[in-house]
């Protein structure tokens, strides 16, 4: 048998082997992916537990400062002032505060807020605890049952019962 010298060799079928997707992923990427999932979970948990944003309208904001003044009920901190600004027409001062979600259900129409600061009057001296710690906003929860997120208060505490 004779071989033709002009005949070209047969074409070879050369293709890359396609491995499944899960075999192409390196285990090194597992650590950053898990860290990303964990950090997103923590960020969502923090966002979900921030509390309820309320607006309190004061005649003046004496002693109230954003990110410093806290809201207390029975000497337990339940919230923090986030922003202090003027209302339209400069008639009142609006205090935007975030209150713990557990106490948000007690914020009714007749809930009362007032600024606790040192006072001297006919009744005597009150608020001496704020001399070193600074003024804070006190809450007296309501019992009306009609929920609201906007409150108007006076600068003096309600009469004691």
């Amino acid at each position: 048998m004779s071989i033709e010298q002009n005949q070209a060799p047969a074409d070879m079928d050369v293709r890359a082997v396609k491995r499944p997707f899960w075999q192409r992923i390196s285990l090194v990427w597992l650590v950053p992916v898990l860290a990303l999932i964990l950090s997103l979970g923590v960020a969502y948990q923090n966002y979900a537990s921030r509390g309820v944003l309320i607006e309190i309208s004061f005649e003046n904001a004496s002693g109230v400062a954003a990110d410093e003044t806290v809201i207390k009920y029975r000497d337990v901190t339940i919230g923090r002032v986030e922003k202090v600004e003027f209302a339209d027409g400069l008639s009142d001062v609006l205090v935007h505060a975030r209150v713990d979600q557990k106490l948000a259900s007690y914020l009714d129409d007749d809930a009362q807020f007032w600024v606790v600061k040192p006072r001297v009057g006919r009744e005597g001296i009150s608020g001496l605890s704020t001399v070193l710690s600074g003024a804070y906003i006190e809450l007296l929860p309501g019992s009306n049952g009609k929920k609201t997120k906007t409150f108007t208060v006076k600068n003096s505490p309600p009469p004691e019962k």
Side-chain angles (χ1 to χ4, degrees), residues 3-151:
I3 299 180
E4 275 186 45
Q5 292 179 349
N6 293 341
Q7 185 180 12
D11 289 334
M12 306 230 17
D13 186 18
V14 180
R15 289 182 277 172
V17 176
K18 289 215 172 190
R19 295 186 305 179
F21 179 74
W22 60 273
Q23 286 182 346
R24 289 184 280 161
I25 295 178
S26 173
L27 289 178
V28 172
W29 287 101
L30 186 62
V31 172
V33 168
L34 287 177
L36 177 65
I37 291 171
L38 181 66
S39 62
L40 287 175
V42 169
Y44 174 75
Q45 183 69 23
N46 187 24
Y47 177 77
S49 65
R50 284 187 324 163
V52 177
L53 188 64
I54 62 171
E55 181 180 284
I56 309 168
S57 175
F58 287 96
E59 291 174 4
N60 67 47
S62 175
V64 178
D67 296 326
E68 292 179 13
T69 306
V70 295
I71 300 174
K72 292 184 177 186
Y73 174 61
R74 294 187 180 180
D75 286 332
V76 176
T77 301
I78 60 166
R80 181 171 296 275
V81 172
E82 290 187 352
K83 186 167 117 179
V84 179
E85 65 182 1
F86 286 107
D88 293 336
L90 304 177
S91 58
D92 290 326
V93 177
L94 297 179
V95 173
H96 301 276
R98 201 162 288 277
V99 178
D100 187 7
Q101 286 182 342
K102 294 176 185 175
L103 276 107
S105 61
Y106 297 102
L107 297 176
D108 300 337
D109 271 352
D110 57 346
Q112 297 178 14
F113 291 89
W114 67 94
V115 177
V116 177
K117 56 187 174 183
R119 298 181 197 274
V120 178
R122 292 186 313 215
E123 299 84 25
I125 300 172
S126 65
L128 285 179
S129 63
T130 62
V131 171
L132 296 176
S133 65
Y136 62 90
I137 299 173
E138 183 75 25
L139 163 68
L140 180 61
S143 59
N144 185 6
K146 188 175 179 185
K147 306 297 180 223
T148 185
K149 292 183 180 180
T150 305
F151 302 93

